[in-house]
Amino acid sequence: MHAFEVVARRHGPLMRVYAGRLLGTDLESDDVVQDAFLTAWRRLSDLEDPSRLRPWLMRIVSNKSIDRLRVRRDHDDIDAHDAPASRAAGPERVVESRLQLDAMWTALDKLPLDQRRCWLLRETGGWSYAEIAEALQLPVSTVRGQIARARKFLLHEMEAWR
């Protein structure tokens, strides 16, 4: 129990920042980190190499954050609908934007997990290649390649929306 407290104190702040960057808000990051620690506690026996604890925890946070993003996209915020829409943001434009966003999420779901993580951290979180490499325990060159392949794939998938 004491060892797990030390792990939480040592890695919790990084996990919170990582989740906050992935989610775009610090409001949900605490919940994601807490959920990640619960999952880690339950699956501690799955960790084969204790020296890989940090990447293992970051992978759990990444998966939990992506799950949270998936849930988020299915729900509209009621506060966003209070103000009347301008003519430029008419119903047809709103529908078009929503369809484009759905197409993007569908394309992102088709990416291999490492490419999706790297792309999300870079494009939505604004992380540098070095930060992504450190967080995911990958060489910087691998991160660059993953992002390049993800961009190429997404450009191809989203061609109809250009």
Side-chain angles (χ1 to χ4, degrees):
M1 186 69 106
H2 177 69
F4 199 77
E5 289 176 20
V6 171
V7 166
R9 268 189 251 115
R10 182 175 296 155
H11 299 288
L14 175 65
M15 292 167 67
R16 185 175 184 277
V17 168
Y18 181 65
R21 291 243 178 135
L22 273 175
L23 296 168
T25 174
D26 288 335
L27 299 174
E28 294 177 290
S29 64
D30 288 333
D31 291 338
V32 167
V33 171
Q34 183 177 1
D35 194 22
F37 275 127
L38 287 173
T39 300
W41 177 259
R42 290 184 192 121
R43 295 187 179 166
L44 199 53
S45 61
D46 293 351
L47 180 63
E48 296 173 5
D49 182 7
S51 68
R52 302 285 300 160
L53 176 67
R54 182 173 160 212
W56 182 69
L57 288 172
M58 298 307 286
R59 189 171 303 114
I60 293 171
V61 169
S62 178
N63 290 339
K64 297 291 182 184
S65 297
I66 290 170
D67 290 345
R68 184 68 64 111
L69 287 171
R70 284 184 180 137
V71 169
R72 186 191 300 166
R73 74 171 186 230
D74 293 333
H75 302 286
D76 291 327
D77 185 11
I78 192 74
D79 293 334
H81 298 288
D82 285 347
S86 68
R87 292 201 181 262
E92 62 280 346
R93 180 67 184 130
V94 171
V95 169
E96 182 181 351
S97 294
R98 183 59 190 238
L99 289 172
Q100 187 176 17
L101 185 61
D102 287 345
M104 184 65 169
W105 280 113
T106 301
L108 280 170
D109 287 342
K110 292 178 185 177
L111 284 174
L113 184 58
D114 283 341
Q115 285 182 21
R116 186 177 338 140
R117 285 181 184 154
C118 290
W119 187 88
L120 282 169
L121 288 172
R122 178 71 178 165
E123 300 300 333
T124 64
W127 285 34
S128 70
Y129 293 112
E131 289 174 319
I132 296 168
E134 182 180 337
L136 299 180
Q137 295 294 309
L138 296 170
V140 174
S141 59
T142 300
V143 169
R144 286 184 189 279
Q146 295 286 10
I147 292 171
R149 284 188 290 284
R151 285 177 178 159
K152 183 178 178 181
F153 176 80
L154 292 172
L155 278 171
H156 180 266
E157 287 291 307
M158 299 301 291
E159 184 67 34
W161 292 98
R162 291 178 75 180

